[in-house]
Amino acid sequence: MDPRLTKLVESLELSKVLMIKICQAFQRHLSQGLLIHKNGGIPGEDVSICSLKMLDSCITNIPSGKETGVCYGLDFGGSNFRAVKAVLCGKGRIEIFQNSASLKESFQGHCPEGLVHAEVPGTHLFDRFSLQLKDLIDHREDTPMECSMNAENNPAVVPLGFTFSFPCLQESLNAARLITWTKEIETGRATECKVEGKDVAKMLQEAFLRHSIPARVFAVINDTVGTLISCAYQKSEDDPDCLIGLILGTGSNVCYYEPMAQEFNYKGNVINLEYGSFFDPILPRNEVDIELDRSSSNPGGQSFEKLVSGRYIGELVQKYCMKLDDPAVLDLLETYILDTKDAAALATLETSNPTSSNIVNTMKRILPSSTVNILKALSLAIFNRSADLISCSLAATVLRIITYSPEISRLSIGVDGSLILKNEFYFERVTCGISSLIESAGKKCDVKLIPTDDGSGKGAALVAFVASRS
Ligand code: BGC
Protein backbone atom coordinates (compact mmCIF):
# COMPACT_ATOMS: atom_id res chain seq x y z
CA MET A 1 0.00 0.00 0.00
CA ASP A 2 1.10 3.55 -0.71
CA PRO A 3 2.81 4.74 2.53
CA ARG A 4 0.89 8.07 2.50
CA LEU A 5 -2.35 6.15 2.37
CA THR A 6 -1.31 3.62 4.99
CA LYS A 7 -0.65 6.42 7.44
CA LEU A 8 -3.95 8.19 6.77
CA VAL A 9 -6.03 5.02 6.89
CA GLU A 10 -4.31 3.87 10.08
CA SER A 11 -5.16 7.17 11.73
CA LEU A 12 -8.83 6.35 11.09
CA GLU A 13 -8.93 2.75 12.30
CA LEU A 14 -10.39 1.91 15.69
CA SER A 15 -8.95 -1.21 17.33
CA LYS A 16 -11.27 -3.42 19.37
CA VAL A 17 -9.47 -2.31 22.53
CA LEU A 18 -10.07 1.34 21.70
CA MET A 19 -13.73 0.64 20.90
CA ILE A 20 -14.17 -1.00 24.30
CA LYS A 21 -12.60 2.02 25.98
CA ILE A 22 -14.84 4.44 24.07
CA CYS A 23 -17.88 2.37 25.00
CA GLN A 24 -16.83 2.47 28.66
CA ALA A 25 -16.24 6.22 28.50
CA PHE A 26 -19.71 6.68 27.01
CA GLN A 27 -21.24 4.59 29.83
CA ARG A 28 -19.39 6.75 32.35
CA HIS A 29 -20.71 10.00 30.88
CA LEU A 30 -24.21 8.51 30.79
CA SER A 31 -24.17 7.44 34.45
CA GLN A 32 -22.69 10.78 35.53
CA GLY A 33 -25.37 12.62 33.56
CA LEU A 34 -28.13 10.73 35.38
CA LEU A 35 -26.58 11.58 38.76
CA ILE A 36 -26.16 15.24 37.85
CA HIS A 37 -29.80 15.37 36.79
CA LYS A 38 -30.88 13.67 40.00
CA ASN A 39 -29.12 16.36 42.02
CA GLY A 40 -30.79 19.19 40.10
CA GLY A 41 -27.75 20.01 37.92
CA ILE A 42 -27.52 20.31 34.13
CA PRO A 43 -25.77 17.40 32.37
CA GLY A 44 -23.45 18.59 29.64
CA GLU A 45 -22.40 21.78 31.46
CA ASP A 46 -19.09 20.45 32.74
CA VAL A 47 -18.01 18.33 29.78
CA SER A 48 -15.11 16.77 31.67
CA ILE A 49 -17.65 14.97 33.86
CA CYS A 50 -20.53 14.49 31.42
CA SER A 51 -20.61 15.82 27.86
CA LEU A 52 -24.03 14.34 27.03
CA LYS A 53 -26.95 16.75 27.51
CA MET A 54 -29.32 13.95 28.64
CA LEU A 55 -32.51 15.94 28.07
CA ASP A 56 -35.93 15.14 29.48
CA SER A 57 -38.41 14.30 26.70
CA CYS A 58 -41.33 14.52 29.14
CA ILE A 59 -42.77 11.48 27.33
CA THR A 60 -44.42 8.98 29.64
CA ASN A 61 -46.60 6.95 27.29
CA ILE A 62 -45.19 4.79 24.54
CA PRO A 63 -48.04 3.89 22.15
CA SER A 64 -49.17 0.29 21.90
CA GLY A 65 -49.97 0.21 18.17
CA LYS A 66 -53.71 0.00 18.89
CA GLU A 67 -54.49 3.73 18.84
CA THR A 68 -56.74 4.96 16.01
CA GLY A 69 -57.42 8.52 14.86
CA VAL A 70 -56.05 11.44 12.86
CA CYS A 71 -53.34 13.87 13.90
CA TYR A 72 -50.78 16.22 12.40
CA GLY A 73 -47.08 16.71 12.67
CA LEU A 74 -44.51 19.29 11.61
CA ASP A 75 -41.01 17.98 11.17
CA PHE A 76 -37.95 20.20 11.07
CA GLY A 77 -34.47 18.82 11.44
CA GLY A 78 -32.20 20.37 8.86
CA SER A 79 -32.47 22.09 5.54
CA ASN A 80 -35.84 20.45 4.77
CA PHE A 81 -39.09 20.52 6.66
CA ARG A 82 -42.47 18.95 6.17
CA ALA A 83 -46.04 18.89 7.36
CA VAL A 84 -47.49 15.44 7.98
CA LYS A 85 -51.02 14.21 8.39
CA ALA A 86 -51.03 10.81 10.08
CA VAL A 87 -53.98 8.47 10.06
CA LEU A 88 -53.56 5.88 12.80
CA CYS A 89 -55.29 2.77 11.57
CA GLY A 90 -54.58 0.56 14.62
CA LYS A 91 -52.74 -2.76 14.34
CA GLY A 92 -49.49 -0.82 13.98
CA ARG A 93 -50.49 0.73 10.66
CA ILE A 94 -50.07 4.44 9.94
CA GLU A 95 -50.97 6.15 6.66
CA ILE A 96 -49.27 9.46 6.09
CA PHE A 97 -49.85 12.37 3.75
CA GLN A 98 -47.16 14.97 3.67
CA ASN A 99 -45.79 17.95 1.87
CA SER A 100 -42.16 18.87 2.23
CA ALA A 101 -40.10 21.85 1.22
CA SER A 102 -36.52 22.95 1.32
CA LEU A 103 -35.66 26.00 3.36
CA LYS A 104 -33.11 26.95 0.74
CA GLU A 105 -35.51 26.92 -2.18
CA SER A 106 -38.33 28.59 -0.28
CA PHE A 107 -36.53 31.81 0.45
CA GLN A 108 -33.99 32.11 -2.31
CA GLY A 109 -35.19 35.59 -3.20
CA HIS A 110 -34.93 36.69 0.40
CA CYS A 111 -31.52 35.38 1.36
CA PRO A 112 -29.21 33.15 -0.66
CA GLU A 113 -28.80 30.48 2.05
CA GLY A 114 -32.55 30.44 2.71
CA LEU A 115 -34.10 30.47 6.14
CA VAL A 116 -31.18 28.82 7.90
CA HIS A 117 -29.08 31.98 7.62
CA ALA A 118 -28.12 34.03 10.70
CA GLU A 119 -29.68 37.21 9.27
CA VAL A 120 -33.15 35.75 8.89
CA PRO A 121 -35.36 36.60 11.89
CA GLY A 122 -36.75 33.58 13.75
CA THR A 123 -40.38 34.56 13.09
CA HIS A 124 -39.82 34.10 9.34
CA LEU A 125 -38.85 30.49 9.91
CA PHE A 126 -41.95 29.75 11.97
CA ASP A 127 -44.18 31.60 9.51
CA ARG A 128 -42.90 29.35 6.78
CA PHE A 129 -43.60 26.21 8.85
CA SER A 130 -47.14 27.31 9.59
CA LEU A 131 -47.91 27.97 5.92
CA GLN A 132 -46.71 24.48 5.07
CA LEU A 133 -49.13 23.08 7.62
CA LYS A 134 -51.97 25.29 6.35
CA ASP A 135 -51.51 23.86 2.90
CA LEU A 136 -51.86 20.33 4.25
CA ILE A 137 -54.86 21.12 6.47
CA ASP A 138 -56.61 22.74 3.51
CA HIS A 139 -56.40 19.37 1.75
CA ARG A 140 -57.36 17.21 4.69
CA GLU A 141 -60.31 15.56 3.00
CA ASP A 142 -57.82 13.20 1.29
CA THR A 143 -58.04 10.59 4.11
CA PRO A 144 -58.32 7.10 2.61
CA MET A 145 -61.66 5.34 3.10
CA GLU A 146 -60.20 2.26 4.72
CA CYS A 147 -58.65 4.23 7.54
CA SER A 148 -61.23 6.97 7.91
CA MET A 149 -63.63 4.27 9.11
CA ASN A 150 -61.67 4.28 12.37
CA ALA A 151 -60.48 7.86 12.30
CA GLU A 152 -62.03 10.82 14.04
CA ASN A 153 -63.95 13.40 12.07
CA ASN A 154 -61.81 16.43 11.40
CA PRO A 155 -61.82 18.49 14.56
CA ALA A 156 -62.06 22.29 14.47
CA VAL A 157 -58.59 22.71 15.97
CA VAL A 158 -56.12 20.09 14.85
CA PRO A 159 -53.77 18.53 17.41
CA LEU A 160 -50.21 18.91 16.32
CA GLY A 161 -46.87 17.42 17.30
CA PHE A 162 -43.74 19.36 16.41
CA THR A 163 -40.57 17.40 15.75
CA PHE A 164 -37.82 19.89 16.32
CA SER A 165 -34.51 18.10 16.01
CA PHE A 166 -32.18 20.30 17.98
CA PRO A 167 -31.21 20.25 21.66
CA CYS A 168 -34.05 21.72 23.73
CA LEU A 169 -34.65 22.03 27.45
CA GLN A 170 -38.09 20.58 27.80
CA GLU A 171 -40.13 21.97 30.70
CA SER A 172 -43.22 20.05 29.69
CA LEU A 173 -44.38 18.14 26.63
CA ASN A 174 -45.38 21.36 24.91
CA ALA A 175 -42.69 23.77 26.10
CA ALA A 176 -39.18 23.36 24.71
CA ARG A 177 -36.43 25.96 24.85
CA LEU A 178 -33.78 25.72 22.14
CA ILE A 179 -30.35 25.49 23.80
CA THR A 180 -28.29 25.93 20.65
CA TRP A 181 -28.57 25.32 16.91
CA THR A 182 -26.60 22.42 15.45
CA LYS A 183 -25.99 21.09 11.89
CA GLU A 184 -24.68 24.52 10.79
CA ILE A 185 -28.10 26.20 11.13
CA GLU A 186 -27.96 29.78 12.36
CA THR A 187 -31.41 31.35 11.88
CA GLY A 188 -31.91 34.54 13.88
CA ARG A 189 -28.40 34.67 15.37
CA ALA A 190 -27.60 38.04 13.80
CA THR A 191 -31.07 39.54 14.39
CA GLU A 192 -33.16 40.86 17.27
CA CYS A 193 -35.49 37.90 16.78
CA LYS A 194 -33.42 34.91 17.85
CA VAL A 195 -34.59 31.34 18.21
CA GLU A 196 -31.85 30.11 20.56
CA GLY A 197 -33.02 30.53 24.16
CA LYS A 198 -36.70 30.68 23.12
CA ASP A 199 -39.61 28.27 23.55
CA VAL A 200 -40.13 26.88 20.04
CA ALA A 201 -43.65 25.60 20.79
CA LYS A 202 -44.67 29.15 21.69
CA MET A 203 -43.01 30.57 18.57
CA LEU A 204 -44.92 28.08 16.43
CA GLN A 205 -48.23 28.72 18.20
CA GLU A 206 -47.74 32.47 17.67
CA ALA A 207 -47.12 31.88 13.97
CA PHE A 208 -50.39 29.89 13.77
CA LEU A 209 -52.13 32.86 15.36
CA ARG A 210 -50.60 35.34 12.89
CA HIS A 211 -51.88 33.21 10.00
CA SER A 212 -55.21 32.16 11.56
CA ILE A 213 -54.30 28.48 11.39
CA PRO A 214 -56.55 26.25 13.53
CA ALA A 215 -53.84 24.09 15.09
CA ARG A 216 -52.60 23.60 18.63
CA VAL A 217 -49.12 22.42 19.56
CA PHE A 218 -49.61 19.52 21.99
CA ALA A 219 -46.07 18.23 21.94
CA VAL A 220 -42.52 19.07 20.91
CA ILE A 221 -40.26 16.10 20.41
CA ASN A 222 -36.79 15.31 19.17
CA ASP A 223 -36.52 13.16 16.00
CA THR A 224 -34.89 10.33 17.96
CA VAL A 225 -37.93 10.26 20.24
CA GLY A 226 -40.24 10.30 17.19
CA THR A 227 -38.33 7.35 15.79
CA LEU A 228 -38.53 5.35 19.02
CA ILE A 229 -42.25 6.08 19.35
CA SER A 230 -43.15 5.25 15.78
CA CYS A 231 -41.03 2.10 15.81
CA ALA A 232 -42.87 1.03 19.00
CA TYR A 233 -46.20 1.61 17.19
CA GLN A 234 -45.33 -0.06 13.92
CA LYS A 235 -43.01 -2.94 14.76
CA SER A 236 -44.39 -6.42 14.48
CA GLU A 237 -45.58 -8.07 17.69
CA ASP A 238 -42.80 -10.65 17.46
CA ASP A 239 -40.10 -8.00 17.53
CA PRO A 240 -38.67 -7.16 20.96
CA ASP A 241 -39.70 -3.91 22.68
CA CYS A 242 -38.27 -0.80 21.08
CA LEU A 243 -36.24 0.92 23.80
CA ILE A 244 -33.80 3.04 21.77
CA GLY A 245 -34.20 5.52 18.90
CA LEU A 246 -31.26 6.35 16.63
CA ILE A 247 -30.98 9.05 13.96
CA LEU A 248 -28.08 8.91 11.60
CA GLY A 249 -28.57 11.35 8.77
CA THR A 250 -27.47 14.98 8.50
CA GLY A 251 -27.11 14.98 12.27
CA SER A 252 -26.90 12.09 14.68
CA ASN A 253 -28.37 11.35 18.07
CA VAL A 254 -29.86 8.68 20.34
CA CYS A 255 -32.67 8.55 22.88
CA TYR A 256 -33.50 5.62 25.14
CA TYR A 257 -36.09 4.33 27.55
CA GLU A 258 -34.68 4.72 31.08
CA PRO A 259 -36.49 2.38 33.47
CA MET A 260 -35.34 4.37 36.52
CA ALA A 261 -36.00 7.82 35.02
CA GLN A 262 -38.17 9.08 37.89
CA GLU A 263 -35.42 8.27 40.41
CA PHE A 264 -33.13 10.55 38.46
CA ASN A 265 -35.67 13.34 38.55
CA TYR A 266 -36.94 13.05 34.98
CA LYS A 267 -40.59 13.79 34.18
CA GLY A 268 -40.62 11.37 31.25
CA ASN A 269 -39.13 7.91 30.74
CA VAL A 270 -37.42 8.64 27.45
CA ILE A 271 -34.12 10.52 27.67
CA ASN A 272 -32.70 12.35 24.68
CA LEU A 273 -28.94 11.82 25.07
CA GLU A 274 -27.93 14.57 22.61
CA TYR A 275 -24.79 12.56 22.07
CA GLY A 276 -23.64 14.83 19.25
CA SER A 277 -21.88 16.80 21.97
CA PHE A 278 -20.15 13.70 23.40
CA PHE A 279 -16.53 14.49 24.07
CA ASP A 280 -13.90 12.49 25.88
CA PRO A 281 -10.10 12.57 25.54
CA ILE A 282 -10.29 8.93 24.39
CA LEU A 283 -12.09 9.95 21.17
CA PRO A 284 -9.79 9.53 18.13
CA ARG A 285 -9.74 13.07 16.73
CA ASN A 286 -6.86 13.88 14.43
CA GLU A 287 -5.54 16.86 12.52
CA VAL A 288 -8.28 16.82 9.86
CA ASP A 289 -11.07 16.58 12.44
CA ILE A 290 -9.62 19.55 14.29
CA GLU A 291 -9.39 21.52 11.02
CA LEU A 292 -13.02 20.75 10.20
CA ASP A 293 -14.12 21.77 13.68
CA ARG A 294 -12.30 25.11 13.42
CA SER A 295 -14.05 26.03 10.19
CA SER A 296 -17.52 25.03 11.45
CA SER A 297 -20.22 27.38 12.75
CA ASN A 298 -19.74 26.05 16.31
CA PRO A 299 -16.03 25.36 16.94
CA GLY A 300 -15.58 23.11 19.97
CA GLY A 301 -19.22 21.97 19.87
CA GLN A 302 -20.81 18.72 18.61
CA SER A 303 -17.46 16.88 18.58
CA PHE A 304 -18.99 13.42 18.22
CA GLU A 305 -21.45 14.51 15.53
CA LYS A 306 -18.55 15.92 13.50
CA LEU A 307 -16.94 12.46 13.48
CA VAL A 308 -20.01 10.46 12.56
CA SER A 309 -22.84 12.30 10.84
CA GLY A 310 -23.84 12.87 7.22
CA ARG A 311 -23.44 16.63 7.47
CA TYR A 312 -19.69 16.16 7.89
CA ILE A 313 -18.65 12.88 6.25
CA GLY A 314 -18.43 14.32 2.72
CA GLU A 315 -16.34 17.21 4.01
CA LEU A 316 -14.04 14.84 5.93
CA VAL A 317 -13.51 12.65 2.86
CA GLN A 318 -12.71 15.77 0.83
CA LYS A 319 -10.20 17.02 3.38
CA TYR A 320 -8.49 13.62 3.70
CA CYS A 321 -8.28 13.20 -0.09
CA MET A 322 -6.63 16.61 -0.33
CA LYS A 323 -4.06 15.56 2.27
CA LEU A 324 -2.67 13.14 -0.32
CA ASP A 325 -1.21 16.15 -2.15
CA ASP A 326 -1.86 14.57 -5.54
CA PRO A 327 -2.04 17.46 -8.09
CA ALA A 328 -4.80 15.81 -10.18
CA VAL A 329 -6.94 15.13 -7.10
CA LEU A 330 -6.35 18.65 -5.78
CA ASP A 331 -7.34 20.07 -9.13
CA LEU A 332 -10.59 18.15 -9.17
CA LEU A 333 -11.57 18.77 -5.56
CA GLU A 334 -10.71 22.45 -5.53
CA THR A 335 -13.69 23.15 -7.74
CA TYR A 336 -16.08 20.57 -6.32
CA ILE A 337 -17.43 19.99 -2.81
CA LEU A 338 -18.03 16.32 -2.01
CA ASP A 339 -21.19 15.56 -0.10
CA THR A 340 -21.93 12.40 1.86
CA LYS A 341 -23.73 10.75 -1.09
CA ASP A 342 -20.59 11.23 -3.21
CA ALA A 343 -18.48 9.85 -0.39
CA ALA A 344 -20.74 6.77 -0.10
CA ALA A 345 -20.56 6.22 -3.86
CA LEU A 346 -16.78 6.41 -3.61
CA ALA A 347 -16.58 4.05 -0.61
CA THR A 348 -18.67 1.39 -2.38
CA LEU A 349 -17.28 1.93 -5.86
CA GLU A 350 -17.00 -1.04 -8.18
CA THR A 351 -14.71 -0.20 -11.04
CA SER A 352 -16.85 -1.88 -13.68
CA ASN A 353 -20.15 -0.08 -12.85
CA PRO A 354 -20.96 3.63 -13.14
CA THR A 355 -22.11 5.22 -9.87
CA SER A 356 -24.92 7.66 -9.11
CA SER A 357 -22.38 10.39 -8.32
CA ASN A 358 -21.17 12.60 -11.17
CA ILE A 359 -17.96 13.55 -9.42
CA VAL A 360 -17.07 9.90 -8.72
CA ASN A 361 -17.72 9.03 -12.38
CA THR A 362 -15.44 11.94 -13.35
CA MET A 363 -12.76 10.65 -10.97
CA LYS A 364 -12.97 7.25 -12.65
CA ARG A 365 -12.63 8.87 -16.05
CA ILE A 366 -9.71 11.19 -15.46
CA LEU A 367 -7.68 9.73 -12.57
CA PRO A 368 -5.49 6.60 -12.79
CA SER A 369 -7.26 3.61 -11.26
CA SER A 370 -4.57 3.31 -8.58
CA THR A 371 -5.46 6.84 -7.39
CA VAL A 372 -9.19 6.10 -7.47
CA ASN A 373 -8.55 3.03 -5.31
CA ILE A 374 -6.68 5.16 -2.79
CA LEU A 375 -9.59 7.62 -2.59
CA LYS A 376 -12.00 4.72 -2.21
CA ALA A 377 -9.96 3.24 0.66
CA LEU A 378 -9.91 6.61 2.43
CA SER A 379 -13.63 7.13 2.05
CA LEU A 380 -14.40 3.63 3.30
CA ALA A 381 -12.14 4.16 6.31
CA ILE A 382 -14.08 7.32 7.25
CA PHE A 383 -17.44 5.52 6.99
CA ASN A 384 -16.09 2.59 9.01
CA ARG A 385 -14.81 4.90 11.73
CA SER A 386 -18.23 6.50 11.93
CA ALA A 387 -19.98 3.09 12.12
CA ASP A 388 -17.60 1.89 14.85
CA LEU A 389 -18.17 5.01 16.95
CA ILE A 390 -21.93 4.61 16.58
CA SER A 391 -21.61 0.96 17.70
CA CYS A 392 -19.73 2.11 20.82
CA SER A 393 -22.44 4.60 21.78
CA LEU A 394 -25.31 2.18 21.10
CA ALA A 395 -23.64 -0.70 22.94
CA ALA A 396 -23.07 1.64 25.91
CA THR A 397 -26.77 2.57 25.89
CA VAL A 398 -27.87 -1.08 25.67
CA LEU A 399 -25.50 -1.94 28.52
CA ARG A 400 -27.00 0.82 30.66
CA ILE A 401 -30.49 -0.61 30.07
CA ILE A 402 -29.68 -4.27 30.66
CA THR A 403 -27.45 -3.69 33.67
CA TYR A 404 -30.32 -2.06 35.54
CA SER A 405 -33.08 -4.22 34.03
CA PRO A 406 -31.42 -7.66 33.88
CA GLU A 407 -34.73 -9.27 32.83
CA ILE A 408 -34.34 -7.66 29.39
CA SER A 409 -32.71 -10.19 27.07
CA ARG A 410 -33.70 -8.66 23.74
CA LEU A 411 -34.58 -5.21 22.51
CA SER A 412 -35.13 -3.25 19.30
CA ILE A 413 -33.56 -0.02 18.18
CA GLY A 414 -35.68 2.15 15.85
CA VAL A 415 -33.34 3.54 13.22
CA ASP A 416 -33.81 6.41 10.79
CA GLY A 417 -31.55 8.59 8.63
CA SER A 418 -30.12 8.16 5.17
CA LEU A 419 -26.55 7.49 6.27
CA ILE A 420 -27.49 4.22 7.93
CA LEU A 421 -30.57 3.29 5.89
CA LYS A 422 -29.08 3.87 2.45
CA ASN A 423 -25.75 2.14 3.09
CA GLU A 424 -26.13 -1.55 3.73
CA PHE A 425 -22.47 -2.15 4.57
CA TYR A 426 -22.71 0.53 7.25
CA PHE A 427 -25.92 -0.93 8.75
CA GLU A 428 -24.27 -4.37 8.93
CA ARG A 429 -21.12 -3.01 10.54
CA VAL A 430 -23.09 -1.20 13.25
CA THR A 431 -25.20 -4.32 13.95
CA CYS A 432 -22.10 -6.52 14.35
CA GLY A 433 -20.21 -3.86 16.31
CA ILE A 434 -22.96 -3.60 18.95
CA SER A 435 -23.15 -7.39 19.50
CA SER A 436 -19.43 -7.75 19.75
CA LEU A 437 -19.12 -4.95 22.33
CA ILE A 438 -21.96 -6.34 24.45
CA GLU A 439 -20.27 -9.72 24.40
CA SER A 440 -16.93 -8.19 25.36
CA ALA A 441 -18.63 -6.60 28.36
CA GLY A 442 -19.64 -10.11 29.46
CA LYS A 443 -23.37 -9.49 28.89
CA LYS A 444 -26.03 -10.97 26.65
CA CYS A 445 -28.76 -9.16 24.76
CA ASP A 446 -30.19 -9.71 21.27
CA VAL A 447 -30.35 -6.33 19.60
CA LYS A 448 -32.40 -5.79 16.47
CA LEU A 449 -32.07 -2.62 14.40
CA ILE A 450 -35.44 -1.80 12.84
CA PRO A 451 -35.47 0.70 9.95
CA THR A 452 -38.19 3.21 10.77
CA ASP A 453 -38.78 5.39 7.77
CA ASP A 454 -40.45 8.75 8.42
CA GLY A 455 -40.28 8.06 12.15
CA SER A 456 -39.83 11.68 13.09
CA GLY A 457 -42.99 12.92 11.35
CA LYS A 458 -45.17 9.99 12.39
CA GLY A 459 -43.82 10.01 15.94
CA ALA A 460 -44.71 13.68 16.46
CA ALA A 461 -48.26 13.09 15.28
CA LEU A 462 -48.58 10.00 17.50
CA VAL A 463 -47.36 11.81 20.61
CA ALA A 464 -49.69 14.74 19.93
CA PHE A 465 -52.56 12.30 19.45
CA VAL A 466 -51.97 10.61 22.80
CA ALA A 467 -51.42 13.99 24.55
CA SER A 468 -54.59 15.49 23.09
CA ARG A 469 -56.58 12.58 24.57
CA SER A 470 -55.24 12.85 28.11
C1 BGC B 1 -29.33 17.51 17.08
C2 BGC B 1 -30.25 16.46 17.67
C3 BGC B 1 -30.89 15.65 16.56
C4 BGC B 1 -29.83 15.09 15.61
C5 BGC B 1 -30.42 14.31 14.46
C6 BGC B 1 -28.36 16.88 16.10
O1 BGC B 1 -27.59 17.85 15.48
O2 BGC B 1 -28.62 18.17 18.09
O3 BGC B 1 -31.23 17.06 18.47
O4 BGC B 1 -31.61 14.60 17.14
O5 BGC B 1 -29.06 16.15 15.09
O6 BGC B 1 -31.26 15.09 13.68
Side-chain angles (χ1 to χ4, degrees):
M1 214 198 271
D2 181 321
R4 291 167 308 165
L5 175 68
T6 313
K7 209 164 147 241
L8 283 176
V9 169
E10 270 175 13
S11 76
L12 289 162
E13 274 166 5
L14 268 61
S15 66
K16 182 73 187 285
V17 173
L18 181 55
M19 282 176 73
I20 292 174
K21 284 190 179 152
I22 296 171
C23 178
Q24 288 167 344
F26 200 95
Q27 284 177 272
R28 228 175 17 249
H29 284 249
L30 214 163
S31 305
Q32 287 299 336
L34 290 172
L35 287 177
I36 293 171
H37 200 273
K38 181 177 181 169
N39 297 326
I42 301 181
E45 258 188 2
D46 180 349
V47 296
S48 65
I49 302 177
C50 167
S51 53
L52 304 165
K53 292 196 175 68
M54 314 264 311
L55 301 168
D56 198 339
S57 69
C58 298
I59 301 264
T60 42
N61 295 328
I62 296 192
S64 62
K66 296 193 177 104
E67 298 79 358
T68 57
V70 177
C71 42
Y72 286 77
L74 257 173
D75 178 15
F76 172 55
S79 47
N80 294 316
F81 64 102
R82 61 195 176 131
V84 176
K85 173 184 178 179
V87 182
L88 313 178
C89 306
K91 297 193 186 134
R93 239 188 81 221
I94 308 179
E95 297 264 351
I96 60 166
F97 305 86
Q98 55 178 317
N99 57 15
S100 36
S102 150
L103 290 173
K104 287 197 174 161
E105 281 162 24
S106 309
F107 274 71
Q108 209 116 53
H110 177 78
C111 180
E113 277 95 349
L115 280 175
V116 296
H117 194 266
E119 280 166 18
V120 173
T123 43
H124 287 228
L125 183 67
F126 288 81
D127 282 342
R128 184 64 190 87
F129 294 156
S130 58
L131 294 176
Q132 194 74 9
L133 178 71
K134 183 172 184 329
D135 193 49
L136 194 75
I137 294 177
D138 288 348
H139 296 100
R140 60 176 151 171
E141 67 283 0
D142 301 339
T143 309
M145 278 312 288
E146 190 191 341
C147 284
S148 54
M149 307 270 292
N150 293 328
E152 289 252 299
N153 289 333
N154 295 325
V157 174
V158 301
L160 179 109
F162 184 24
T163 302
F164 187 76
S165 307
F166 302 91
C168 288
L169 267 180
Q170 195 114 13
E171 283 140 32
S172 65
L173 197 52
N174 64 353
R177 200 169 293 283
L178 173 62
I179 301 172
T180 173
W181 284 124
T182 56
K183 296 175 271 199
E184 308 298 305
I185 291 184
E186 297 190 81
T187 310
R189 268 193 189 163
T191 73
E192 292 291 299
C193 181
K194 307 204 181 342
V195 187
E196 287 162 303
K198 301 260 182 64
D199 176 356
V200 294
K202 193 158 167 255
M203 287 185 87
L204 186 60
Q205 197 65 61
E206 285 167 358
F208 290 160
L209 212 64
R210 282 195 292 280
H211 297 280
S212 312
I213 296 168
R216 180 168 154 210
V217 184
F218 272 92
V220 180
I221 61 167
N222 186 261
D223 50 0
T224 51
V225 177
T227 299
L228 187 156
I229 297 284
S230 75
C231 178
Y233 187 90
Q234 296 179 103
K235 72 172 185 53
S236 97
E237 279 184 9
D238 302 336
D239 285 332
D241 286 345
C242 180
L243 301 181
I244 298 179
L246 164 75
I247 297 283
L248 195 38
T250 309
S252 186
N253 191 14
V254 154
C255 72
Y256 80 106
Y257 181 83
E258 168 57 61
M260 291 158 64
Q262 270 69 46
E263 281 180 42
F264 293 108
N265 229 348
Y266 283 89
K267 294 179 187 138
N269 292 318
V270 177
I271 299 179
N272 165 11
L273 289 183
E274 279 297 331
Y275 78 11
S277 56
F278 177 54
F279 178 79
D280 189 277
I282 193 82
L283 272 183
R285 291 166 82 236
N286 52 41
E287 174 200 345
V288 177
D289 300 308
I290 291 163
E291 228 176 78
L292 180 140
D293 178 47
R294 281 210 192 104
S295 62
S296 70
S297 70
N298 56 347
Q302 298 298 97
S303 302
F304 192 69
E305 188 162 73
K306 287 171 184 159
L307 296 172
V308 298
S309 88
R311 173 61 184 78
Y312 301 100
I313 286 206
E315 198 174 332
L316 283 174
V317 171
Q318 174 126 9
K319 285 195 185 319
Y320 273 98
C321 290
M322 291 177 94
K323 287 277 167 212
L324 290 169
D325 264 340
D326 179 313
V329 174
L330 286 177
D331 216 34
L332 202 65
L333 293 184
E334 245 147 33
T335 52
Y336 192 94
I337 312 272
L338 288 179
D339 63 20
T340 298
K341 276 195 214 132
D342 298 317
L346 188 56
T348 54
L349 181 74
E350 282 175 32
T351 25
S352 47
N353 300 331
T355 77
S356 55
S357 156
N358 289 340
I359 180 74
V360 176
N361 288 327
T362 310
M363 285 173 178
K364 274 169 66 180
R365 214 179 53 246
I366 64 176
L367 299 175
S369 60
S370 56
T371 308
V372 175
N373 283 335
I374 289 180
L375 302 185
K376 175 180 168 163
L378 265 181
S379 189
L380 189 60
I382 290 165
F383 275 95
N384 285 345
R385 180 180 70 164
S386 159
D388 291 349
L389 289 170
I390 295 293
S391 306
C392 296
S393 62
L394 286 173
T397 312
V398 172
L399 287 168
R400 160 78 212 165
I401 297 175
I402 60 174
T403 305
Y404 293 90
S405 302
E407 72 286 1
I408 296 178
S409 59
R410 48 201 292 263
L411 61 84
S412 303
I413 303 182
V415 179
D416 201 358
S418 52
L419 181 54
I420 186 154
L421 294 188
K422 298 232 163 97
N423 296 298
E424 218 178 306
F425 73 97
Y426 189 103
F427 189 99
E428 292 303 318
R429 193 168 173 108
V430 172
T431 309
C432 296
I434 299 170
S435 308
S436 137
L437 285 164
I438 292 176
E439 203 185 307
S440 304
K443 302 271 179 186
K444 278 204 170 82
C445 184
D446 280 342
V447 176
K448 178 167 182 185
L449 266 60
I450 303 188
T452 310
D453 250 359
D454 283 330
S456 46
K458 288 177 187 166
L462 264 166
V463 172
F465 179 81
V466 175
S468 68
R469 296 303 173 95
S470 50

